[in-house]
Amino acid sequence: MRSSTAGKARKVKGEGETFATQVLEVVRKIPRGKVLTYGQVAALVGSPRAARIVGGVLFRLGKKSKVPWQRVLNARGMLSTYRVGCGEEQKKRLQAEGLRFNRQEAIELERYQWWPTARQLKAWRVDDDLAASIHQRFGW
DNA sequence: TCAGTGACTCCCC
DNA sequence: CGGGGAGCCACTG
């Protein structure tokens, strides 16, 4: 059996997929000018409480990576990356995509948060139960 | 194999 | 409304 820890993951893992590869698969699809929260990404790959791990995966991306890591931020619409030294870089990239930050250094999630289409969810093999639980949790 | 870790989140005061 | 604290869980060495 493949390492789907705790048996809580409801999203089916394809051959050779890990939590990390699934995270990157999701992040790569975030449209320019839109964002997802760490928790949202975690939920989409079937581990709704693994938000911290999403951050860890993105942290270990190489500088040359083409994955749009700047499009992932925390549940308050703020950047968690200042503490690891790339907050300014993330802010700069997001501003270049048209996002505006308020006085609290936050963006309006209601305005910029991305919700994948049903077609996209299917492509990621997110089953109906998981999709339903995500809808409920995030009021999507 | 296993304990330590943390780009999170939520709850409580 | 703000900050402190405690779960959380896949990755890492």
Side-chain angles (χ1 to χ4, degrees), chain A residues 49-111:
Chain A
R49 287 174 287 186
R52 304 186 70 152
I53 321 302
V54 173
V57 169
L58 298 181
F59 174 69
R60 284 182 283 279
L61 282 176
K63 193 77 175 174
K64 290 175 292 187
S65 172
K66 289 177 183 171
V67 175
W69 56 267
Q70 73 271 18
R71 297 176 190 153
V72 184
L73 31 68
N74 68 36
R76 299 177 324 197
M78 302 180 80
L79 307 186
S80 293
T81 47
Y82 283 103
R83 45 175 311 188
V84 291
C86 49
E88 287 303 331
E89 171 72 11
Q90 183 173 17
K91 183 178 181 183
K92 187 175 133 191
R93 288 186 181 205
L94 289 177
Q95 286 177 323
E97 297 188 0
L99 277 75
R100 316 292 284 278
F101 287 78
N102 65 25
R103 205 158 306 162
Q104 284 80 211
E105 290 295 296
I107 59 111
E108 286 178 48
L109 275 183
E110 317 80 58
R111 180 173 174 190

Side-chain angles (χ1 to χ4, degrees), chain A residues 8 47 49 75:
Chain A
K8 286 171 190 161
S47 295
R49 287 174 287 186

Side-chain angles (χ1 to χ4, degrees), chain A residues 121-132:
Chain A
L121 293 180
K122 188 174 183 183
W124 285 333
R125 299 177 306 287
V126 173
D127 65 50
D128 294 342
D129 285 348
L130 178 54

Side-chain angles (χ1 to χ4, degrees), chain A residues 17-35:
Chain A
E17 283 192 322
T18 64
F19 180 87
T21 64
Q22 294 186 110
V23 164
L24 298 183
E25 188 182 356
V26 168
V27 175
R28 265 191 275 262
K29 293 290 188 188
I30 306 174
R32 179 183 172 84
K34 290 293 183 179
V35 298

